[in-house]
Amino acid sequence: MRLRDTTQVGLAGFLLLSGCSDNPAGGGAGTGTSQATTGSASPGTGSTSPGSGNGGTGTNPSGSGISTSGDTGSGSSGTVVGGSGSSGSVVGGSGSSGAGSGVPGSGAASGSSGMVGGGTVNWPSAACQQKTATLLASMSRMQKAQQMVMLQDTFSGVPGAVFSGGGAGPGYPNPTGPRDPASWATFTDGFFAKAKAAQPPIPILYGLDIVHGNNAVNSAVIMPHNTGLGATGDLALVQQVYNVAAQEALAVGINWTFGPFSGVVWDYRWGRVYESFGGDPVAVGKMVQAAVIGLQGPGGLGSGTAGVGGAVACSKHWAGDGQAGPPSGKGGVVDRGNVTVSVQDMMKWGANPYVPAIQSGLGCVMVSDATWNNAQMTESKQLLTTILKGPPPAGLGFKGFVITNWDAGNTSTAVAAGVDMFMHPGSEANSINTIANLPAGMDSRIDDAVTRILNVKCQAGLSTFQRGDPATVGSAAHRAIGRKAVAESMVVLQNTGNVLPLAKTANVFVTGSGANNLNNQMGGWTITWQGSGNQVQGATTIQAAISKVKPVAGSMAAADVVVVVLSEGPYAEFQGDKTSIDQLPAGDFAALAQAKAAGKKVVAIVMSGRPVLLHALTQADAWIAAWLPGSEGDGVADVLFGDVHPVGKLPHHWPATDGQSTWGGAAVPGAYTPMFKIGDGLTW
Ligand code: BGC
């Protein structure tokens, strides 16, 4: 279980849409490092080209492209539903070659990608359909219900699917229980054995929030969070990063990933900004597709990691994730708030990012626990059955299965709406019984749900009940991919006087709250729900990485260059919502001032899960947005010392003031004038 202490259209098509709980979601934010339940209630790039900003002497990398045509849903190149354009990622369309999202200046995910796969995948196979039909015909209503409710890792019933929430795993309820690969493998083996011994022996899904590498295992390669990957704009690399995540998950028996995250962020106060690839829905859609191919395989489910079947990706949170406004449904600021948009805007910003991944055979979608125009998405037939699963041109034709988020949705209503599997920790037995006792009129809906689940299990090759080898977790080859991702995710925002790259002979003093702090370097969803990067073994801090190039200076006085790593602490979802994005510690700004006053060259590295207020850019010569890089700090040093040329471009806007922390898809330039825009970033 997650240790959590919360209570916790077709080308020219047009979607015609209209828009109580037995497990009421608890209110109020929890405070712990883990999710507990028991005992508590639980690019197209438009017409732009990514600018290079060459030279980097200014304070504003204005070399980045700015779309002149881009605005919400307008123009000839937007990702639109119901539009008449001949381009764009469209519901039911076969092409994902949208020419533009309408978001200005995004350089992410454009051009030829080097990605493997990407074509339309046809599934399930005839053999799987046959196998599923035979199995279904032999199952009782109770057995079907058991397939439709995932169990926490502490629940002892017959598992159809099991999951560990953030912070959970071997040794529960001790949140610092063993988190090494061997202990994880032994732990999941127990559930596999139970399923194998059941009659009939149906393979299980073992789910976990694999959001930046196998972040539940203490020797895994912790990858940059998605916002850093979005900055790379490198689809082939994102595919590799997610493939490493899949391999390191499958190695310990985790075969189902609650990700990739598909949200497009409008509000930087949200505690999930870092989980998002960016603010451009077309670029995000391509990133999500690359991630899904990395997780599942280039030919869809079961075409991934040889010998183990492959992982099943569960993209989240359908739909409109990132576009919600206050109040938060969870006691935060915007988390699980209300998305107040038209159908067209919901499609453009909230649904179309799923289209390329669905074409690539996405196996599972997690429905959002937020509301759309005040209606629960978990209980929305329109959103689940008509739009997501419905046939083109009215729907996306999704063939996989839909799960709920944590404790979301009234079971009966949600089944009728199109939910196929429930995450109802603490009340699994109730939900199973509810489904088992639904009236006969629900037979075909239940059969549809179970058919979808069984098809995924078959297509993914889970019937071998195999896992990978725990000894492969954290391999040198995997770390090299992480390091590359870190280097490519660095976004140079300012480089006055070409202070970067640093000479390898320079005396560098490294300070700031993030210099030697793995918790801050990895952020939330690392070992624990809210983030405990300091438990990760084999990781390299930024200071350690710089020291490998040349031992760091012992004092500021002895240095030519002062590197200050300014950082936010770790957080996750609603607990990480903030009313202000002024989140960098005063002490870090004081270090900048001290270094400037001492006449040093000053490099500011900002390690944050969201764009945060930098205040005056004159406080440092160079500014780098380093996001949440994860375990491979060497990638930061690679850029600092010029071994890798910076290629990162901002995937999100970077506000100058708190008043700019929400942008709502506004055009730039225009009424919204952040300090830096999506697509900005210097190189040399
Ligand atoms: C989060 C989901 C996550 C789930 C399972 C929820 O609280 O919102 O993103 O997948 O927990 O851990």
Side-chain angles (χ1 to χ4, degrees):
M1 67 184 296
R2 174 164 64 186
L3 301 164
R4 175 159 73 174
D5 51 356
T6 62
T7 53
Q8 285 219 46
V9 246
L11 270 174
F14 192 82
L15 294 177
L16 294 170
L17 313 163
S18 59
C20 60
S21 174
D22 52 8
N23 298 291
T31 53
T33 56
S34 51
Q35 299 168 293
T37 52
T38 320
S40 54
S42 193
T45 51
S47 56
T48 71
S49 57
S52 65
N54 183 31
T57 53
T59 56
N60 185 347
S62 55
S64 51
I66 299 174
S67 168
T68 49
S69 64
D71 197 353
T72 307
S74 65
S76 58
S77 62
T79 299
V80 293
V81 167
S84 57
S86 59
S87 61
S89 295
V90 290
V91 174
S94 58
S96 59
S97 57
S101 63
V103 173
S106 171
S110 62
S112 102
S113 71
M115 200 170 74
V116 180
T120 299
V121 171
N122 288 315
W123 73 288
S125 67
C128 279
Q129 290 184 50
Q130 181 58 51
K131 193 171 169 185
T132 293
T134 306
L135 188 53
L136 189 75
S138 75
M139 291 168 75
S140 66
R141 175 63 85 79
M142 178 52 92
Q143 286 171 321
K144 292 173 185 173
Q146 284 164 342
Q147 289 295 310
M148 291 176 64
V149 178
M150 64 180 94
L151 309 181
Q152 287 182 98
D153 51 16
T154 50
F155 194 86
S156 59
V158 178
V162 184
F163 86 106
S164 296
Y172 176 82
N174 177 4
T176 56
R179 293 292 180 268
D180 59 285
S183 299
W184 260 108
T186 305
F187 186 62
T188 60
D189 280 353
F191 294 98
F192 280 77
K194 196 181 279 188
K196 205 170 177 180
Q199 277 312 319
I202 301 175
I204 56 165
L205 290 153
Y206 198 109
L208 199 132
D209 296 284
I210 302 289
V211 299
H212 60 147
N214 184 354
N215 39 255
V217 172
N218 67 4
S219 57
V221 180
I222 305 300
M223 296 293 180
H225 269 293
N226 285 344
T227 203
L229 297 179
T232 71
D234 187 340
L235 297 176
L237 180 60
V238 171
Q239 185 176 333
Q240 284 182 308
V241 162
Y242 270 86
N243 186 251
V244 167
Q247 290 182 47
E248 298 209 344
L250 290 163
V252 302
I254 296 162
N255 57 18
W256 183 29
T257 67
F258 297 156
F261 192 92
S262 309
V264 176
V265 176
W266 282 0
D267 195 325
Y268 304 126
R269 297 171 300 176
W270 198 22
R272 308 196 82 147
V273 176
Y274 62 82
E275 294 186 65
S276 159
F277 289 111
D280 175 337
V282 171
V284 168
K286 293 187 176 192
M287 286 273 155
V288 171
Q289 180 187 36
V292 167
I293 293 172
L295 290 167
Q296 298 191 158
L301 289 168
S303 66
T305 310
V308 196
V312 176
C314 197
S315 202
K316 65 188 186 185
H317 308 84
W318 169 267
D321 219 18
Q323 292 115 59
S328 162
K330 278 283 190 180
V333 178
V334 291
D335 189 69
R336 295 164 167 88
N338 187 38
V339 181
T340 315
V341 297
S342 66
V343 171
Q344 284 77 7
D345 277 346
M346 174 54 99
M347 296 313 303
K348 173 180 174 178
W349 296 92
N352 280 354
Y354 288 80
V355 171
I358 289 173
Q359 287 169 352
S360 293
L362 175 65
C364 168
V365 162
M366 183 187 293
V367 59
S368 169
D369 184 22
T371 53
W372 177 24
N373 297 331
N374 297 313
Q376 285 295 336
M377 297 198 209
T378 306
E379 298 171 3
S380 169
K381 192 167 193 172
Q382 168 193 14
L383 209 47
L384 299 177
T385 300
T386 310
I387 302 179
L388 180 60
K389 295 176 172 177
L396 303 185
F398 174 62
K399 296 179 191 165
F401 66 93
V402 173
I403 67 171
T404 69
N405 199 347
W406 188 284
D407 225 6
N410 171 282
T411 306
S412 315
T413 316
V415 169
V419 165
D420 304 307
M421 192 192 286
F422 291 84
M423 183 193 292
H424 281 171
S427 52
E428 294 94 336
N430 283 346
S431 299
I432 290 172
N433 284 331
T434 300
I435 296 168
N437 291 309
L438 285 174
M442 291 296 287
D443 276 348
S444 63
R445 175 71 268 278
I446 289 169
D447 283 356
D448 171 58
V450 178
T451 296
R452 288 168 177 270
I453 294 165
L454 296 179
N455 278 343
V456 165
K457 291 180 175 183
C458 177
Q459 195 75 41
L462 304 187
S463 43
T464 61
F465 289 91
Q466 274 182 306
R467 61 161 164 75
D469 177 3
T472 60
V473 171
S475 72
H478 292 175
R479 290 197 186 283
I481 290 168
R483 179 175 181 161
K484 184 171 187 232
V486 172
E488 289 196 18
S489 70
M490 297 295 109
V491 181
V492 179
L493 298 171
Q494 173 175 291
N495 192 20
T496 306
N498 290 330
V499 67
L500 296 174
L502 303 176
K504 290 185 180 173
T505 50
N507 290 315
V508 182
F509 181 67
V510 187
T511 186
S513 63
N516 238 337
N517 189 325
L518 290 174
N519 281 347
N520 294 9
Q521 192 170 314
M522 299 191 201
W525 299 106
T526 312
I527 308 299
T528 59
W529 177 39
Q530 295 296 312
S532 300
N534 61 359
Q535 290 184 40
V536 173
Q537 295 163 9
T540 308
T541 66
I542 292 180
Q543 185 178 61
I546 292 173
S547 308
K548 286 193 207 171
V549 178
K550 184 184 175 195
V552 294
S555 69
M556 197 179 277
D560 314 315
V561 180
V562 176
V563 172
V564 181
V565 187
L566 304 94
S567 66
E568 269 193 304
Y571 52 80
E573 43 182 329
F574 47 94
Q575 288 194 21
D577 281 10
K578 307 281 188 222
T579 50
S580 164
I581 59 166
D582 193 5
Q583 289 299 323
L584 295 176
D588 289 345
F589 288 106
L592 291 178
Q594 198 189 346
K596 268 280 173 199
K600 308 295 177 185
K601 291 179 179 171
V602 184
V603 176
I605 298 178
V606 179
M607 222 157 60
S608 63
R610 53 164 64 84
V612 283
L613 298 188
L614 304 183
H615 303 294
L617 291 169
T618 49
Q619 295 168 102
D621 300 295
W623 286 90
I624 297 179
W627 315 108
L628 297 170
S631 57
E632 307 312 304
D634 291 312
V636 178
D638 288 341
V639 171
L640 280 181
F641 291 100
D643 290 332
V644 174
H645 294 285
V647 295
K649 306 292 175 204
L650 287 182
H652 298 287
H653 297 305
W654 200 291
T657 64
D658 261 326
Q660 294 175 341
S661 59
T662 66
W663 65 288
V668 178
Y672 184 70
T673 52
M675 179 178 262
F676 299 106
K677 307 169 298 297
I678 289 177
D680 281 352
L682 302 172
T683 192
W684 53 74

